Amino acid sequence: MAASVAVENLNPKVLKCEYAVRGEIVIHAQRLQQQLQTQPGSLPFDEILYCNIGNPQSLGQQPVTFFREVLALCDHPCLLEKEETKSLFSADAISRAKQILSSIPGRATGAYSHSQGIKGLRDAIAAGIASRDGFPANADDIFLTDGASPGVHMMMQLLIRNEKDGILCPIPQYPLYSASIALHGGALVPYYLDEKTGWGLEISDLKKQLEDARSKGIDVRALVVINPGNPTGQVLAEDNQCDIVKFCKNEGLVLLADEVYQENIYVDNKKFSSFKKIARSMGYGEDDLPLVSFQSVSKGYYGECGKRGGYMEITGFSAPVREQIYKISSVNLCSNITGQILASLVMNPPKVGDESYASYKAEKDGILQSLARRAKALEDAFNNLEGFSCNKAEGAMYLFPQILLPQKAIEAAKAAKKAPDAFYALRLLESTGIVVVPGSGFGQVPGTWHIRCTILPQEDKIPAVITRFKAFHEAFMAEYRD
Amino acid sequence: MAASVAVENLNPKVLKCEYAVRGEIVIHAQRLQQQLQTQPGSLPFDEILYCNIGNPQSLGQQPVTFFREVLALCDHPCLLEKEETKSLFSADAISRAKQILSSIPGRATGAYSHSQGIKGLRDAIAAGIASRDGFPANADDIFLTDGASPGVHMMMQLLIRNEKDGILCPIPQYPLYSASIALHGGALVPYYLDEKTGWGLEISDLKKQLEDARSKGIDVRALVVINPGNPTGQVLAEDNQCDIVKFCKNEGLVLLADEVYQENIYVDNKKFSSFKKIARSMGYGEDDLPLVSFQSVSKGYYGECGKRGGYMEITGFSAPVREQIYKISSVNLCSNITGQILASLVMNPPKVGDESYASYKAEKDGILQSLARRAKALEDAFNNLEGFSCNKAEGAMYLFPQILLPQKAIEAAKAAKKAPDAFYALRLLESTGIVVVPGSGFGQVPGTWHIRCTILPQEDKIPAVITRFKAFHEAFMAEYRD
């Protein structure tokens, strides 16, 4: 190997960055999957069940037909001129594809677009936001991105100057935030979600953490809020959101609102309200609060992770700052057009009266209702395991149960040089093929241990998942019970 | 506007970054385009002709039918079960789509893939590289990316620790490199391509620049070579490539080979050889040279810029370093699947005997032959303008003529607070609607002035482009001739 590049002389920010949802346990799972292929029967299970990541279609969720019809027609517009197409595609997919193509200069789905994304698609997204929120939205505020992650990186890149710039992040948090802050050399300023109150966000704790950080010389630039929560699955109450908005305004923080699970709500007494809607309802406008809302085609009922579509809606930034955001976007030219089109579709799906509406509605409701049932089944199952306690799955795609691990297990983990929850997750994988992410990848109150498990295995597999999990846990406890 | 975020407190690396191909002149062109829509007839031209960027389909180039057929079938796999599909799609597109879908776990084109990309697609790309080079290639060395740009950013992020880490870049260069180095806080170490010898790359100059940088305490980590050249259009001779490979090995540099124009060669006496082929032909293996080759679906005859597909092939890096590269890729989960599929198609297009072969070949040859004619026509036209001198367009998608600007024009530019070539490009835009990029955006020998103009306007428009350009230039010279 050429010696000029070695781990010792790489960018230390890269070395520092961690990303647990694709970390050690997942790499081990990939090895086991290969082993299952090359030596079938050599493991105590016959398939790997990836519950580590919100990737619905990898576990069998089917894409929404209307969306895929439109994508296929936009990919190969010649189809629109053929008679057979009318019998293969729904009429509204055909007309939507025509409308989208006509909004693209030269109908060129293979051309770089404006760096913020195709204007006509941003118009559709802005209209979707306005109809969701009841407040106007502007296509000029929309930046289409390859999924939500590049948008988050862009904002971190913009705000973080050095290790004295801090970003307030929930703990537990989705590790994209810790990874991005590490890559950009900033300081993660943690605030704890309160597990006892269903992962509540206490303004008093926020304030305390902010002051602590400031007293250490950290210039806190922004607050990240993930709503519905990842990995914690809670849905914020509107009065809590109002307090957060006020806090950001008073403290001069950018509010980075991760709203990618806005369609994933499973309880009747909660609903999604965007932070922009909350802020506008409070009478706050452009001058009061710099606010970024992230949305993605990967989540919701659509679950189109592989298409890498998403957007950020940016309000409350001055024109010169927006120019800088535009410049960073332009260095990567534009996000992929398929993802752009899909982002416009999820924000403007079929409406009552459209030919596809009934089938679209049935697909959407089927997926969301099934997710709600799966969330409840897993939540109940976890709560029936010795030492487990699991909050209600109100939204998103995950459960994040706490596990009271016996002292003997903690010592065994120490001997194996693993965090106790990583040790548990590894043993779970090796016994059952189920892949979960240890809580240490997300952050947790020191001395507590968790796992994050998606609710995404298909419904007919849930009973078997629960049975396997239960059998493993009982054996684990039998081995390590104090 | 909320005052907490202002240009003054943004990341200075972002402020420093410049990206001329989407800079001031393009933004002005977009304004003029809007004016043409709202007030037709208000400008001395009736359309904006974007010659600023290698974006073929935006200027009317049609996508290759086979590629789009496969994409549409993969986007909407239900089509594969319908009888009508056989009359709408070619048989080999249908069988290719089936083969691709069967290589995707669960046939899920909507799922996140492995962070390096779908294994089956990487196998196809590795086979394509091996067949191109005559040396083996390995799917584990392929990292699929959303176009070439994110791959370049990833390598800069990996290698640059601080402002004392340098990257050797050609001048003129494609501003992605200067932008990415600026964003990651490193030092661009320039080496000049020699305009007099057709943009030749002199090892003696490389060596001198390297030693200069080292004497200033710069730790030079890598050498960027763009072949075929952008913006300069030259194709390196093989013995020159051998010298570059030797230089990198001897000096312990990573060779970052931008090979996105590998299909774009317009002269009979030159052909493309990848740097990996050259290195392997010299007997250099994994231990001798860390080498990254960037490829993209945006260029070549395919020109699928909007699909954001590409890959890097990484050889000569140790396992621990490769793990870090994998980790950075995984933070963004994966590149878009449509782009991944397309990257596998361009590296494994229809073969003799396939149903689509004849039409595919005709489309490919038609595009490349037309590009060659357009390059020649524009090159001749430029060489006929007073004060212009333009090297031969051997490859890529650009011409980069030098313009001897009269002193009076230089002074007028100074009065307008513009670089002289930016002043020229702005006047050109305002008179003709033709958008080119001033040489100052790419770097040039101080005191010389250039523009970069793509060869991409459709062939039937080239005579009009030349006429408009000539009339403008004559008027400009009449106004400013000394």
Side-chain angles (χ1 to χ4, degrees):
Chain A
M1 229 32 72
S4 52
V5 184
V7 169
E8 295 68 36
N9 61 26
L10 297 183
N11 180 356
K13 293 174 194 164
V14 168
L15 300 178
K16 198 181 159 198
C17 158
E18 284 182 21
Y19 196 60
V21 298
R22 289 238 160 159
E24 187 198 353
I25 287 178
V26 183
I27 292 170
H28 187 50
Q30 287 166 345
R31 272 195 298 263
L32 295 180
Q33 188 163 34
Q34 284 189 337
Q35 184 180 329
L36 282 176
Q37 276 162 12
T38 53
Q39 304 159 251
S42 65
L43 292 169
F45 46 84
D46 53 17
E47 67 167 341
I48 301 285
L49 206 60
Y50 287 100
C51 300
N52 58 302
I53 192 164
N55 194 8
Q57 295 190 27
S58 76
L59 295 176
Q61 182 176 309
Q62 292 305 303
V64 172
T65 307
F66 174 80
F67 296 162
R68 293 303 192 95
E69 287 183 316
V70 176
L71 292 186
L73 292 167
C74 290
D75 266 343
H76 194 41
C78 306
L79 292 173
L80 293 167
E81 292 150 27
K82 302 283 173 63
E83 196 54 32
E84 296 94 321
T85 299
K86 289 185 194 152
S87 65
L88 281 174
F89 293 84
S90 62
D92 52 338
I94 291 174
S95 64
R96 184 69 74 93
K98 286 182 178 167
Q99 179 201 325
I100 288 172
L101 287 167
S102 73
S103 78
I104 302 178
R107 302 165 59 88
T109 55
Y112 295 128
S113 70
H114 187 285
S115 294
Q116 286 184 236
I118 292 161
K119 173 67 163 56
L121 302 178
R122 287 186 280 129
D123 286 333
I125 290 169
I129 295 171
S131 127
R132 179 194 71 194
D133 291 348
F135 290 94
N138 187 335
D140 292 341
D141 296 340
I142 308 293
F143 285 71
L144 283 151
T145 50
D146 291 311
S149 307
V152 170
H153 287 307
M154 227 183 275
M155 292 311 300
M156 296 300 175
Q157 185 162 48
L158 189 81
L159 293 173
I160 296 174
R161 291 161 295 185
N162 55 51
E163 68 285 359
K164 288 288 184 191
D165 277 335
I167 310 289
L168 272 161
C169 285
I171 296 295
Q173 53 106 27
Y174 179 52
L176 166 64
Y177 294 97
S178 49
S180 188
I181 293 167
L183 284 174
H184 293 100
L188 188 152
V189 180
Y191 65 91
Y192 284 95
L193 301 177
D194 184 11
E195 189 163 9
K196 283 192 233 50
T197 59
W199 302 113
L201 196 168
E202 287 294 325
I203 297 292
S204 56
D205 184 55
L206 264 185
K207 186 126 188 103
K208 179 179 164 303
Q209 300 298 339
L210 176 69
E211 279 163 12
D212 264 19
R214 283 182 176 160
S215 74
K216 291 175 193 145
I218 302 290
D219 186 349
V220 179
R221 313 289 320 263
L223 168 70
V224 172
V225 180
I226 311 174
N227 181 47
N230 174 6
T232 40
Q234 85 286 19
V235 178
L236 294 177
E238 288 200 5
D239 56 347
N240 201 188
Q241 289 184 275
C242 289
D243 290 342
I244 294 166
V245 166
K246 255 184 251 165
F247 176 78
C248 287
K249 176 175 159 64
N250 292 343
E251 301 293 349
L253 302 178
V254 178
L255 177 51
L256 300 173
D258 180 335
E259 300 183 324
V260 302
Y261 296 100
Q262 56 189 264
E263 300 272 6
N264 298 100
I265 296 188
Y266 309 121
V267 288
D268 293 335
N269 62 335
K270 290 285 180 84
K271 67 186 187 58
F272 171 76
S273 299
S274 76
F275 272 101
K276 185 167 153 236
K277 175 183 175 179
I278 297 289
R280 296 292 175 271
S281 309
M282 294 165 71
Y284 287 177
E286 283 283 325
D287 291 351
D288 295 296
L289 183 76
L291 168 62
V292 184
S293 165
F294 300 98
Q295 163 67 322
S296 166
V297 304
S298 303
K299 309 304 171 187
Y301 57 91
Y302 14 96
E304 292 277 18
C305 304
K307 298 299 179 186
R308 312 308 293 123
Y311 69 79
M312 5 182 229
E313 184 192 14
I314 288 185
T315 51
F317 291 86
S318 68
V321 173
R322 295 170 65 108
E323 276 170 29
Q324 296 297 322
I325 301 173
Y326 174 81
K327 187 176 70 180
I328 317 178
S329 320
S330 78
V331 176
N332 278 333
L333 296 163
C334 66
S335 61
N336 83 85
I337 305 296
T338 304
Q340 291 191 25
I341 292 172
L342 197 45
S344 82
L345 296 176
V346 308
M347 297 307 286
N348 184 20
K351 300 281 185 294
V352 178
D354 293 343
E355 183 184 306
S356 292
Y357 181 73
S359 64
Y360 157 76
K361 181 84 170 38
E363 290 175 357
K364 171 182 172 177
D365 291 349
I367 290 167
L368 288 174
Q369 287 160 8
S370 167
L371 284 173
R373 288 190 298 267
R374 288 180 256 171
K376 186 77 179 75
L378 285 167
E379 174 199 318
D380 289 347
F382 284 143
N383 278 324
N384 279 325
L385 296 182
E386 178 185 356
F388 266 65
S389 60
C390 185
N391 274 323
K392 208 166 175 54
E394 296 180 335
M397 293 183 171
Y398 316 98
L399 291 166
F400 196 65
Q402 184 173 160
I403 318 177
L404 281 174
L405 289 171
Q407 196 53 38
K408 244 167 86 181
I410 292 172
E411 276 152 27
K414 206 169 163 187
K417 297 195 169 122
K418 305 272 175 218
D421 49 6
F423 178 75
Y424 182 88
L426 209 55
R427 289 288 302 270
L428 174 71
L429 168 62
E430 288 174 344
S431 307
T432 65
I434 300 171
V435 191
V436 299
V437 187
S440 38
F442 304 90
Q444 51 201 346
V445 171
T448 68
W449 308 108
H450 299 76
I451 55 166
R452 187 186 81 162
C453 180
T454 71
I455 58 170
L456 298 176
Q458 286 298 286
E459 208 162 353
D460 57 357
K461 290 199 174 170
I462 292 283
V465 170
I466 291 174
T467 307
R468 275 150 81 180
F469 207 117
K470 186 161 179 274
F472 160 76
H473 186 69
E474 283 168 1
F476 184 91
M477 292 303 285
E479 186 176 349
Y480 292 109
R481 195 177 288 112
D482 295 317
Chain B
M1 230 32 73
S4 54
V5 184
V7 168
E8 295 68 35
N9 61 25
L10 297 184
N11 180 355
K13 294 174 192 164
V14 167
L15 299 178
K16 198 181 159 197
C17 159
E18 285 183 19
Y19 195 61
V21 299
R22 290 237 159 160
E24 184 198 354
I25 287 177
V26 182
I27 292 170
H28 188 49
Q30 287 165 347
R31 272 194 298 263
L32 294 180
Q33 190 162 30
Q34 284 191 336
Q35 184 180 332
L36 282 176
Q37 275 161 13
T38 52
Q39 304 159 252
S42 64
L43 291 169
F45 45 85
D46 53 20
E47 66 167 342
I48 300 285
L49 206 60
Y50 288 99
C51 300
N52 58 302
I53 192 162
N55 193 10
Q57 295 190 29
S58 75
L59 294 175
Q61 182 176 306
Q62 291 306 301
V64 172
T65 307
F66 174 82
F67 297 162
R68 293 304 192 95
E69 286 183 319
V70 176
L71 292 186
L73 293 167
C74 290
D75 266 343
H76 193 41
C78 306
L79 291 173
L80 292 167
E81 292 150 28
K82 302 283 173 65
E83 195 52 35
E84 296 95 321
T85 299
K86 290 185 193 152
S87 65
L88 280 175
F89 292 84
S90 63
D92 53 338
I94 291 173
S95 63
R96 184 67 75 92
K98 286 181 177 166
Q99 180 201 325
I100 288 172
L101 287 167
S102 72
S103 79
I104 302 178
R107 302 163 61 87
T109 53
Y112 295 128
S113 70
H114 187 285
S115 293
Q116 286 184 236
I118 292 163
K119 174 65 163 56
L121 302 178
R122 286 187 281 128
D123 285 333
I125 290 169
I129 294 171
S131 128
R132 179 194 72 195
D133 290 349
F135 290 94
N138 186 337
D140 293 340
D141 297 340
I142 308 294
F143 286 71
L144 283 152
T145 50
D146 291 311
S149 305
V152 170
H153 287 306
M154 228 182 276
M155 292 311 300
M156 296 301 175
Q157 187 162 46
L158 190 81
L159 293 171
I160 296 173
R161 291 162 295 185
N162 54 52
E163 68 286 358
K164 287 289 184 189
D165 277 335
I167 309 289
L168 272 160
C169 285
I171 298 294
Q173 53 106 27
Y174 179 51
L176 167 64
Y177 295 97
S178 49
S180 188
I181 293 168
L183 283 175
H184 293 101
L188 189 152
V189 180
Y191 65 91
Y192 284 94
L193 302 176
D194 184 11
E195 186 162 10
K196 284 192 230 54
T197 61
W199 301 112
L201 193 167
E202 287 294 325
I203 298 291
S204 57
D205 183 54
L206 263 186
K207 184 126 190 103
K208 182 178 163 301
Q209 300 298 340
L210 176 69
E211 280 163 9
D212 263 21
R214 284 181 175 160
S215 74
K216 290 176 193 146
I218 302 290
D219 186 349
V220 180
R221 312 287 322 260
L223 168 69
V224 172
V225 181
I226 310 173
N227 181 46
N230 175 6
T232 42
Q234 85 285 17
V235 178
L236 294 177
E238 287 199 4
D239 57 347
N240 201 189
Q241 288 185 274
C242 289
D243 291 342
I244 293 166
V245 166
K246 253 184 256 168
F247 175 78
C248 286
K249 175 175 157 66
N250 293 341
E251 303 291 350
L253 302 179
V254 178
L255 177 49
L256 299 174
D258 180 334
E259 300 183 323
V260 303
Y261 296 100
Q262 56 189 265
E263 300 272 6
N264 298 99
I265 296 188
Y266 310 120
V267 289
D268 294 334
N269 62 335
K270 289 284 180 81
K271 66 185 185 62
F272 171 76
S273 298
S274 76
F275 272 102
K276 184 166 154 236
K277 176 183 176 178
I278 296 290
R280 297 292 174 269
S281 309
M282 294 164 72
Y284 288 177
E286 283 283 325
D287 291 350
D288 296 296
L289 184 75
L291 168 61
V292 184
S293 166
F294 300 97
Q295 163 66 326
S296 166
V297 304
S298 304
K299 309 303 171 188
Y301 57 90
Y302 13 94
E304 291 275 17
C305 303
K307 299 298 179 188
R308 311 309 291 121
Y311 69 79
M312 9 182 227
E313 184 192 14
I314 287 187
T315 51
F317 290 86
S318 68
V321 174
R322 294 169 64 107
E323 277 170 28
Q324 297 298 321
I325 301 174
Y326 173 81
K327 186 176 70 181
I328 316 179
S329 318
S330 77
V331 177
N332 278 332
L333 297 163
C334 66
S335 62
N336 83 85
I337 305 296
T338 304
Q340 292 192 23
I341 293 172
L342 197 46
S344 82
L345 296 177
V346 308
M347 297 308 286
N348 184 22
K351 302 282 184 295
V352 178
D354 294 342
E355 183 184 305
S356 293
Y357 181 73
S359 65
Y360 157 76
K361 182 85 168 41
E363 288 175 358
K364 172 182 172 176
D365 291 349
I367 290 167
L368 288 174
Q369 287 161 9
S370 166
L371 284 172
R373 288 191 298 269
R374 288 180 255 171
K376 188 76 178 76
L378 285 167
E379 173 198 319
D380 289 347
F382 284 143
N383 278 322
N384 278 325
L385 297 182
E386 178 184 358
F388 266 64
S389 61
C390 184
N391 275 321
K392 206 166 175 54
E394 296 181 335
M397 293 182 171
Y398 317 98
L399 291 165
F400 196 66
Q402 184 173 159
I403 317 176
L404 281 173
L405 290 171
Q407 196 54 38
K408 244 167 86 182
I410 292 172
E411 276 152 24
K414 205 171 162 184
K417 296 196 169 120
K418 305 268 175 221
D421 47 9
F423 177 76
Y424 183 88
L426 208 57
R427 290 287 303 269
L428 175 70
L429 168 62
E430 288 173 345
S431 305
T432 65
I434 300 172
V435 190
V436 299
V437 187
S440 38
F442 305 90
Q444 52 200 347
V445 169
T448 68
W449 308 108
H450 299 78
I451 54 166
R452 186 185 83 162
C453 180
T454 72
I455 58 170
L456 297 176
Q458 287 297 288
E459 207 161 355
D460 57 357
K461 290 199 172 168
I462 293 282
V465 170
I466 291 174
T467 307
R468 275 150 82 181
F469 208 119
K470 187 161 180 274
F472 160 76
H473 186 69
E474 283 169 0
F476 184 92
M477 292 303 284
E479 184 174 351
Y480 291 110
R481 197 179 284 114
D482 295 317

